[in-house]
Amino acid sequence: MKTNINFKLISEEINQILSGLYGLYISDGRPTKKGGLRFLDVKSNKTFGFEKARETDTGNLLVLSAPYYFPLENTEIKEKLETELRKSKNSGLIFEIWIRASRDKGKEDRNFVEVKYHIPTEELLSDDKLFEYAEKHKISDSKKIIRQILREYVEPFAKQEMDHLIEIIRNLKK
């Protein structure tokens, strides 16, 4: 079924929501880092980030990143990381777990893990859900309805998964 949802515009809206969530981490006493929505987790002394949301043919992806200070050949650590990530209550929405080199010039030797979660955009923003939300909250502005539905879904979801990722990285030992 072809959808009328513009996933690129939804990604932009998700990025704004993540900016607000990022502000909560900063106000919680975590220093910022240059380059996007990155912050330092003081307890682990590692930088975590909300990467830009991405669109796919069927929806959107929420992307979280964290440092990965282990040799890529160490499959035991990779398996442990993936096992821990899949313990989340939202693990069924994991689209991909990817370990990549840093994109920063001069830091290509550093690796990061990116966890991409599928956001069920078509389901969240179906006509039925939009009409139901409009009626329940007495809102007629469709843009406002979409923003609020996304905020109510993305903000707690992203916070829960980021907190889970932080805890995993803090406890991951060589």
Side-chain angles (χ1 to χ4, degrees):
M1 181 172 96
K2 180 86 170 115
T3 183
N4 291 332
I5 298 173
N6 183 330
F7 297 126
K8 183 173 175 53
L9 288 177
I10 298 300
S11 285
E12 291 171 13
E13 191 63 41
I14 291 168
N15 290 335
Q16 287 192 353
I17 293 166
L18 294 176
S19 291
L21 183 57
Y22 171 71
L24 293 176
Y25 281 95
I26 300 308
S27 67
D28 192 31
R30 298 171 193 216
T32 61
K33 298 290 279 186
K34 267 189 159 181
L37 302 178
R38 302 196 191 313
F39 61 89
L40 178 69
D41 173 55
V42 176
K43 195 170 184 180
S44 66
N45 196 30
K46 294 187 173 63
T47 302
F48 293 82
F50 294 103
E51 302 296 330
K52 289 189 179 198
R54 300 177 190 152
E55 58 277 353
T56 68
D57 292 340
T58 59
N60 299 87
L61 297 177
L62 168 72
V63 184
L64 309 180
S65 67
Y68 183 84
Y69 293 115
F70 305 98
L72 296 178
E73 308 79 46
N74 191 332
T75 56
E76 184 181 327
I77 295 291
K78 278 191 213 176
E79 288 171 10
K80 183 176 181 183
L81 173 67
E82 189 164 328
T83 298
E84 291 301 312
L85 284 167
R86 295 203 182 274
K87 287 182 180 178
S88 164
K89 85 172 199 178
N90 297 308
S91 65
L93 295 174
I94 292 177
F95 179 80
E96 179 181 40
I97 299 170
W98 182 46
I99 298 174
R100 63 162 174 83
S102 174
R103 295 182 186 118
D104 296 341
K105 196 168 185 94
K107 297 181 181 178
E108 294 86 359
D109 61 332
R110 296 184 191 171
N111 295 313
F112 290 85
V113 60
E114 279 190 0
V115 187
K116 299 173 186 170
Y117 296 89
H118 181 263
I119 296 175
T121 311
E122 286 182 313
E123 180 184 332
L124 283 173
L125 302 177
S126 70
D127 288 344
D128 290 343
K129 297 274 173 112
L130 295 176
F131 289 129
E132 181 183 312
Y133 197 93
E135 195 170 285
K136 180 179 179 183
H137 298 280
K138 308 293 186 232
I139 303 170
S140 59
D141 182 347
S142 60
K143 287 182 181 180
K144 187 173 183 179
I145 294 167
I146 290 169
R147 277 191 190 109
Q148 287 185 212
I149 289 172
L150 286 171
R151 177 164 274 108
E152 288 174 13
Y153 180 84
V154 171
E155 203 168 86
F157 178 86
K159 177 143 180 37
Q160 179 180 345
E161 293 310 314
M162 179 59 85
D163 290 346
H164 182 67
L165 180 59
I166 290 169
E167 199 59 38
I168 291 168
I169 297 298
R170 282 178 182 170
N171 296 319
L172 205 56
K173 306 285 187 241
K174 288 186 180 181

Short mmCIF file of all heavy atoms in Angstrom, two decimals, residues 1-8 11 54-61 95 118-119 121-122:
data_model
loop_
_atom_site.label_atom_id
_atom_site.label_comp_id
_atom_site.label_asym_id
_atom_site.label_seq_id
_atom_site.Cartn_x
_atom_site.Cartn_y
_atom_site.Cartn_z
N MET A 1 0.84 -1.18 0.00
CA MET A 1 0.00 0.00 0.00
C MET A 1 0.88 1.25 0.00
O MET A 1 1.81 1.37 0.79
CB MET A 1 -0.89 -0.02 1.25
CG MET A 1 -1.81 1.16 1.33
SD MET A 1 -2.98 1.01 2.67
CE MET A 1 -2.13 1.94 3.92
N LYS A 2 0.60 2.17 -0.88
CA LYS A 2 1.35 3.43 -0.98
C LYS A 2 0.82 4.41 0.06
O LYS A 2 -0.37 4.57 0.22
CB LYS A 2 1.17 3.98 -2.40
CG LYS A 2 1.88 5.27 -2.64
CD LYS A 2 3.31 5.05 -3.06
CE LYS A 2 3.93 6.35 -3.52
NZ LYS A 2 4.99 6.81 -2.70
N THR A 3 1.72 5.05 0.75
CA THR A 3 1.33 6.02 1.78
C THR A 3 1.53 7.45 1.29
O THR A 3 2.35 7.70 0.40
CB THR A 3 2.14 5.80 3.08
OG1 THR A 3 1.68 6.72 4.05
CG2 THR A 3 3.62 5.99 2.86
N ASN A 4 0.79 8.37 1.85
CA ASN A 4 0.94 9.79 1.52
C ASN A 4 1.87 10.48 2.51
O ASN A 4 2.05 11.69 2.43
CB ASN A 4 -0.43 10.48 1.54
CG ASN A 4 -1.30 10.01 0.40
OD1 ASN A 4 -0.81 9.61 -0.64
ND2 ASN A 4 -2.61 10.06 0.60
N ILE A 5 2.43 9.75 3.44
CA ILE A 5 3.28 10.34 4.46
C ILE A 5 4.64 10.69 3.86
O ILE A 5 5.27 9.87 3.19
CB ILE A 5 3.46 9.38 5.65
CG1 ILE A 5 2.11 9.11 6.31
CG2 ILE A 5 4.46 9.94 6.65
CD1 ILE A 5 2.14 8.05 7.39
N ASN A 6 5.09 11.92 4.10
CA ASN A 6 6.40 12.35 3.65
C ASN A 6 7.40 12.02 4.77
O ASN A 6 7.53 12.78 5.73
CB ASN A 6 6.38 13.85 3.34
CG ASN A 6 7.69 14.35 2.80
OD1 ASN A 6 8.76 13.82 3.10
ND2 ASN A 6 7.63 15.40 2.00
N PHE A 7 8.08 10.89 4.65
CA PHE A 7 8.97 10.43 5.70
C PHE A 7 10.14 11.38 5.93
O PHE A 7 10.66 11.46 7.04
CB PHE A 7 9.48 9.01 5.40
CG PHE A 7 8.38 7.99 5.36
CD1 PHE A 7 8.22 7.16 4.25
CD2 PHE A 7 7.51 7.82 6.42
CE1 PHE A 7 7.22 6.21 4.21
CE2 PHE A 7 6.51 6.88 6.39
CZ PHE A 7 6.36 6.06 5.28
N LYS A 8 10.55 12.11 4.90
CA LYS A 8 11.63 13.08 5.07
C LYS A 8 11.20 14.20 6.01
O LYS A 8 11.94 14.58 6.92
CB LYS A 8 12.06 13.64 3.72
CG LYS A 8 13.24 14.60 3.78
CD LYS A 8 13.71 14.98 2.39
CE LYS A 8 14.78 16.01 2.35
NZ LYS A 8 15.95 15.79 3.12
N SER A 11 11.11 12.90 9.50
CA SER A 11 12.47 12.84 10.08
C SER A 11 12.88 14.20 10.63
O SER A 11 13.49 14.28 11.70
CB SER A 11 13.49 12.38 9.03
OG SER A 11 13.38 11.00 8.81
N ARG A 54 16.42 9.18 10.12
CA ARG A 54 16.52 8.86 8.69
C ARG A 54 15.21 8.27 8.21
O ARG A 54 14.50 7.61 8.95
CB ARG A 54 17.65 7.86 8.46
CG ARG A 54 18.98 8.43 8.91
CD ARG A 54 20.11 7.46 8.76
NE ARG A 54 21.28 8.02 9.43
CZ ARG A 54 22.23 7.31 9.96
NH1 ARG A 54 22.18 6.00 9.92
NH2 ARG A 54 23.25 7.88 10.55
N GLU A 55 14.93 8.53 6.96
CA GLU A 55 13.73 7.95 6.39
C GLU A 55 14.08 6.70 5.60
O GLU A 55 15.20 6.55 5.11
CB GLU A 55 12.99 8.97 5.51
CG GLU A 55 13.77 9.54 4.36
CD GLU A 55 14.68 10.72 4.74
OE1 GLU A 55 14.64 11.21 5.88
OE2 GLU A 55 15.45 11.12 3.88
N THR A 56 13.14 5.79 5.56
CA THR A 56 13.28 4.58 4.75
C THR A 56 12.06 4.53 3.83
O THR A 56 11.21 5.43 3.86
CB THR A 56 13.30 3.31 5.63
OG1 THR A 56 12.00 3.12 6.21
CG2 THR A 56 14.36 3.38 6.71
N ASP A 57 11.95 3.49 3.04
CA ASP A 57 10.79 3.34 2.16
C ASP A 57 9.51 3.11 2.95
O ASP A 57 8.42 3.36 2.45
CB ASP A 57 11.00 2.16 1.20
CG ASP A 57 12.10 2.44 0.20
OD1 ASP A 57 12.45 3.62 0.00
OD2 ASP A 57 12.62 1.47 -0.39
N THR A 58 9.65 2.64 4.19
CA THR A 58 8.46 2.27 4.97
C THR A 58 8.30 3.06 6.26
O THR A 58 7.43 2.75 7.05
CB THR A 58 8.50 0.77 5.32
OG1 THR A 58 9.69 0.52 6.09
CG2 THR A 58 8.49 -0.10 4.08
N GLY A 59 9.14 4.05 6.48
CA GLY A 59 9.00 4.82 7.72
C GLY A 59 10.24 5.61 8.05
O GLY A 59 10.91 6.12 7.17
N ASN A 60 10.53 5.66 9.34
CA ASN A 60 11.66 6.45 9.84
C ASN A 60 12.49 5.64 10.80
O ASN A 60 12.01 4.67 11.39
CB ASN A 60 11.13 7.70 10.54
CG ASN A 60 10.34 8.57 9.60
OD1 ASN A 60 9.15 8.38 9.43
ND2 ASN A 60 11.01 9.52 8.96
N LEU A 61 13.74 6.06 10.93
CA LEU A 61 14.66 5.41 11.86
C LEU A 61 15.13 6.41 12.90
O LEU A 61 15.51 7.54 12.57
CB LEU A 61 15.89 4.87 11.12
CG LEU A 61 15.65 3.78 10.08
CD1 LEU A 61 16.97 3.42 9.40
CD2 LEU A 61 15.02 2.55 10.71
N PHE A 95 16.24 -2.06 13.97
CA PHE A 95 16.37 -2.23 12.53
C PHE A 95 17.76 -2.74 12.18
O PHE A 95 17.94 -3.59 11.34
CB PHE A 95 16.10 -0.88 11.85
CG PHE A 95 16.21 -0.88 10.36
CD1 PHE A 95 15.16 -1.35 9.59
CD2 PHE A 95 17.34 -0.39 9.73
CE1 PHE A 95 15.25 -1.34 8.20
CE2 PHE A 95 17.43 -0.38 8.35
CZ PHE A 95 16.38 -0.84 7.58
N HIS A 118 13.38 1.19 14.17
CA HIS A 118 12.30 1.52 13.24
C HIS A 118 11.17 2.20 14.02
O HIS A 118 10.71 1.69 15.05
CB HIS A 118 11.77 0.25 12.58
CG HIS A 118 10.68 0.52 11.61
ND1 HIS A 118 9.36 0.40 11.93
CD2 HIS A 118 10.72 0.94 10.33
CE1 HIS A 118 8.62 0.72 10.89
NE2 HIS A 118 9.42 1.05 9.90
N ILE A 119 10.77 3.34 13.55
CA ILE A 119 9.62 4.03 14.13
C ILE A 119 8.42 3.69 13.25
O ILE A 119 8.47 3.93 12.03
CB ILE A 119 9.84 5.55 14.19
CG1 ILE A 119 11.01 5.84 15.15
CG2 ILE A 119 8.57 6.28 14.62
CD1 ILE A 119 11.42 7.28 15.21
N THR A 121 5.97 4.70 11.69
CA THR A 121 5.38 5.97 11.27
C THR A 121 4.00 5.79 10.66
O THR A 121 3.06 6.53 11.00
CB THR A 121 6.32 6.68 10.26
OG1 THR A 121 7.65 6.69 10.80
CG2 THR A 121 5.87 8.10 10.00
N GLU A 122 3.87 4.85 9.74
CA GLU A 122 2.56 4.67 9.09
C GLU A 122 1.48 4.31 10.09
O GLU A 122 0.35 4.79 9.98
CB GLU A 122 2.66 3.58 8.01
CG GLU A 122 3.39 4.03 6.78
CD GLU A 122 3.43 2.97 5.69
OE1 GLU A 122 3.74 1.81 6.00
OE2 GLU A 122 3.14 3.33 4.54
#
